[in-house]
Amino acid sequence: MDSRPPALNVVERLETAEQLKLTGEYAQALAILEQLLVEDPENVSALEEVADNELRLEHFQRAEAAAQQAIVLDAQSYTGHYILGFLRSQEEQWGKALTHLQEANKLKPNNAEILRCLGWALFHGGKRAQGIVTLERSVNLDHTNPLALCDLGIAYLQVRNIVKAKSLFQRTLDLDPENERARECVQAVQRLEESMHKTRAQSM
């Protein structure tokens, strides 16, 4: 006899955990998800959500363990692949990051967050043009995401497209005036512009 709880009850609890995650109550979300996994250790949705909550809490080893288990149970778990790709990017293991992020993108095309991480990994993995195109796609899908705007701005800054970079950092600050990363990037642009002006002046 199947002793697992009714599916509706599971769905309701997953939805409750999702709402808690969205309001930043990660520990409360994890308590619900871990109870679901006690009842059904092969609940892939619960494992994916555990991985996501642990990632947000920067419990990287726990996030990785849950993501890997989700993939073992379901090779089509795009969330599992995305999280492993994100973690490899954090470690600057670009080749491994790309393997997971390209798989996540194949399983879940046109997802702004997956494309953001994929673009970043492509850019830093040596495929700069492809990385910028992918980051542009992410921004087009979610043009109010400060992270994506900033990532794209940094990519343009590194290829010396100062005008484009500056515009993206300004858009980031318009959306999120307290964004420390964008502020630092604007200062980097100003230093670069000053350096370029001095170089031009000396060569005249």
Side-chain angles (χ1 to χ4, degrees):
M1 186 176 170
D2 192 342
S3 61
R4 285 181 298 182
L8 185 60
N9 187 19
V10 172
V11 170
E12 284 174 348
R13 287 190 284 167
L14 281 169
E15 286 175 353
T16 301
E18 175 72 13
Q19 289 306 312
L20 287 165
K21 180 182 76 176
L22 292 173
T23 56
E25 297 171 84
Y26 307 123
Q28 293 94 318
L30 282 165
I32 293 170
L33 296 164
E34 284 163 1
Q35 182 56 42
L36 281 170
L37 288 169
V38 168
E39 296 164 13
D40 178 11
E42 296 190 357
N43 186 325
V44 174
S45 295
L47 280 164
E48 290 173 339
E49 283 297 311
V50 165
D52 198 12
N53 278 278
E54 295 287 15
L55 189 66
R56 289 163 193 254
L57 287 166
E58 298 187 0
H59 298 162
F60 296 140
Q61 287 183 324
R62 292 169 70 109
E64 179 158 358
Q68 284 179 330
Q69 184 61 17
I71 290 170
V72 167
L73 292 168
D74 179 9
Q76 305 289 302
S77 170
Y78 71 85
T79 301
H81 283 292
Y82 156 72
I83 286 171
L84 292 178
F86 178 89
L87 291 169
R88 296 295 80 82
S89 286
Q90 293 286 95
E91 297 160 359
E92 298 186 4
Q93 294 186 34
W94 305 117
K96 290 180 180 177
L98 281 171
T99 299
H100 286 294
L101 291 168
Q102 284 168 335
E103 184 64 19
N105 184 51
K106 189 170 79 177
L107 294 165
K108 182 77 171 176
N110 299 318
N111 177 283
E113 176 58 15
I114 290 172
L115 286 168
R116 181 184 77 81
C117 292
L118 176 58
W120 188 251
L122 283 164
F123 186 86
H124 289 279
K127 297 178 179 176
R128 287 189 157 197
Q130 199 179 340
I132 286 173
V133 168
T134 307
L135 284 166
E136 287 276 15
R137 283 180 60 206
S138 173
V139 168
N140 287 339
L141 287 165
D142 184 2
H143 58 273
T144 61
N145 184 340
L147 270 175
L149 289 165
C150 223
D151 283 357
L152 183 56
I154 289 168
Y156 274 121
L157 187 59
Q158 289 190 21
V159 297
R160 291 293 193 269
N161 188 334
I162 311 297
V163 174
K164 189 82 173 172
K166 200 172 178 179
S167 163
L168 286 157
F169 297 140
Q170 192 53 59
R171 275 170 65 190
T172 306
L173 287 172
D174 289 344
L175 290 164
D176 181 8
E178 303 303 313
N179 191 305
E180 195 59 41
R181 187 174 176 225
R183 282 181 178 179
E184 288 171 6
C185 288
V186 167
Q187 289 168 0
V189 168
Q190 288 168 346
R191 286 194 299 271
L192 190 58
E193 284 177 328
E194 286 166 12
S195 170
M196 288 165 72
H197 289 318
K198 280 180 187 172
T199 304
R200 281 200 204 102
Q202 286 166 359
S203 64
M204 286 173 72

